[in-house]
Amino acid sequence: MTQQTFLYQPKISEVLKNMRKVMIGKEEPAMLSLVALLAKGHVLLEDVPGVGKTMLVKTLARSLDCDFKRIQFTPDLLPSDVTGVSIYNPKNMEFEFRPGPILGHIVLADEINRTSPKTQSALLEGMEEASITVDGNTVPLPDPFFVMATQNPIEYEGTYPLPEAQLDRFLIKMKMGYPTAKQEMEMLARSSNRHPIEDIAAVLTRDDLVSLQSEVADVYVDRTVHRYIIDLVTGTREQGGVFLGVSPRGSIALMKAAKAYAFIHDRDYVVPDDVQYLAPFVLAHRMILTSEARFEGETAESMIEHLLSATSIPVKRNISE
């Protein structure tokens, strides 16, 4: 790591500290959100309403001095409502582009499964290409650009679930979960006068974040860790009860996430423990189980846990490689 990177490490801790102030007992979602952001990936958050999904993204945006945009997906939402539209100006007799909410640094795509596949694809194009297409013209998205999309796991009637090819675009899929009674008591106490997010101040600038993302890309990954990632991903394709295993994109995603996780923990190299911890969040949503496996109560997460137990962990590098 460079000397500049070591100066950033306390600020990364401050970002996580800010998120803990607002998100009580949600250290893991906060950490995973920062992992995805530093790895230039995106997050799919599946949970019930009211558990703090919006607050999580807002706190992250405030801590990083980034523009925050929110898109509420509904069945009647059009792609132009996401990307923006060109409007004719009679004064200069030219079309002027009016940007949509996707042109923000940190975007909350709320209940993405409530809208049509055509509108979903407008957001997913931006996530994959870092640009959008409006009236045949390519419009680059701001840098940095991070999307957290949410799905409600209940009330699936009238929804448009994301197909597997689109789920694969998300680096991480996670859940928030309900707080404990003690955590909820503390939440009420902190929010009695004013919301804690009002006291959150930026600790990193946008330029700092772009620099950190470049540093994360340079984190070292040994060949033995590469092999461990490949063994896990290959195992999903060969495991019984799995109809469709993880694609090579999943291997790359797991490596990128592990780099960011190592960086947050003040290391310039990845260890197998990083891969183990992140595997359920990065790989599970990229798998399709057989109907028999689902009937027996298996989930993609449980399949990943079985695979982690069955796959040998590298303990040292083989010099002959």
Side-chain angles (χ1 to χ4, degrees):
M1 291 186 182
T2 65
Q3 184 64 34
Q4 185 182 24
T5 305
F6 286 116
L7 296 176
Y8 281 139
Q9 288 300 327
K11 294 187 176 183
I12 292 176
S13 298
E14 284 296 315
V15 173
L16 292 171
K17 184 179 178 181
N18 275 353
M19 298 179 80
R20 286 195 296 270
K21 289 178 183 177
V22 179
M23 309 301 302
I24 300 169
K26 302 300 179 187
E27 288 81 5
E28 186 172 76
M31 171 67 70
L32 292 171
S33 300
L34 192 55
V35 165
L37 179 62
L38 292 178
K40 293 188 176 182
H42 307 282
V43 173
L44 180 61
L45 182 53
E46 185 176 77
D47 220 318
V48 297
V51 292
K53 300 186 292 291
T54 303
M55 282 298 109
L56 176 65
V57 190
K58 279 187 175 180
T59 307
L60 187 60
R62 283 203 179 196
S63 299
L64 302 172
D65 192 26
C66 289
D67 294 334
F68 171 73
K69 303 289 185 182
R70 182 177 183 272
I71 310 172
Q72 180 63 56
F73 282 88
T74 56
D76 60 346
L77 197 73
L78 300 174
S80 59
D81 295 327
V82 175
T83 60
V85 65
S86 295
I87 298 177
Y88 183 72
N89 188 337
K91 290 183 179 180
N92 55 19
M93 295 186 293
E94 292 181 352
F95 283 92
E96 297 179 351
F97 176 62
R98 302 289 175 86
I102 194 175
L103 273 86
H105 293 105
I106 296 183
V107 179
L108 173 63
D110 211 1
E111 295 194 290
I112 189 174
N113 58 330
R114 294 286 177 196
T115 197
S116 67
K118 188 174 183 179
T119 304
Q120 290 173 354
S121 65
L123 176 70
L124 293 163
E125 177 196 359
M127 291 166 50
E128 183 67 17
E129 306 295 337
S131 63
I132 53 174
T133 304
V134 180
D135 296 332
N137 298 316
T138 300
V139 180
L141 294 175
D143 188 22
F145 176 68
F146 171 70
V147 172
M148 179 173 285
T150 70
Q151 285 191 145
N152 189 342
I154 59 174
E155 297 179 349
Y156 271 113
E157 295 178 4
T159 62
Y160 303 87
L162 291 172
E164 285 66 31
Q166 293 182 355
L167 283 174
D168 204 26
R169 307 292 178 179
F170 290 94
L171 181 72
I172 285 173
K173 182 182 178 185
M174 63 179 182
K175 298 180 180 180
M176 294 281 286
Y178 285 118
T180 64
K182 183 179 179 181
Q183 290 167 351
E184 202 158 354
M185 283 286 288
E186 186 177 352
M187 191 184 305
L188 293 177
R190 290 190 189 182
S191 304
S192 58
N193 295 322
R194 52 187 287 168
H195 200 283
I197 197 172
E198 297 177 21
D199 298 322
I200 297 301
V203 294
L204 284 171
T205 67
R206 281 171 262 177
D207 291 339
D208 290 340
L209 178 55
V210 173
S211 298
L212 285 173
Q213 289 175 332
S214 298
E215 296 277 358
V216 166
D218 292 333
V219 170
Y220 176 71
V221 185
D222 194 79
R223 285 176 57 86
T224 56
V225 179
H226 282 158
R227 172 54 58 187
Y228 184 49
I229 291 172
I230 291 172
D231 287 345
L232 289 173
V233 171
T234 304
T236 66
R237 304 168 193 165
E238 300 171 349
Q239 195 172 18
V242 177
F243 176 74
L244 181 67
V246 177
S247 70
R249 185 186 284 124
S251 302
I252 297 171
L254 186 53
M255 180 186 68
K256 287 182 176 180
K259 285 184 175 186
Y261 188 76
F263 185 87
I264 291 170
H265 287 82
D266 206 9
R267 281 185 278 108
D268 59 357
Y269 57 91
V270 173
V271 297
D273 284 349
D274 302 332
V275 176
Q276 273 196 312
Y277 172 72
L278 292 166
F281 303 105
V282 178
L283 302 183
H285 64 284
R286 304 170 192 271
M287 299 168 55
I288 302 177
L289 305 189
T290 63
S291 56
E292 292 82 6
R294 293 196 303 270
F295 180 77
E296 292 172 1
E298 292 284 1
T299 63
E301 289 78 8
S302 66
M303 288 287 193
I304 294 294
E305 293 299 331
H306 297 331
L307 191 59
L308 287 169
S309 300
T311 305
S312 59
I313 303 171
V315 292
K316 63 180 180 179
R317 182 175 181 179
N318 187 347
I319 304 300
S320 64
E321 287 190 355

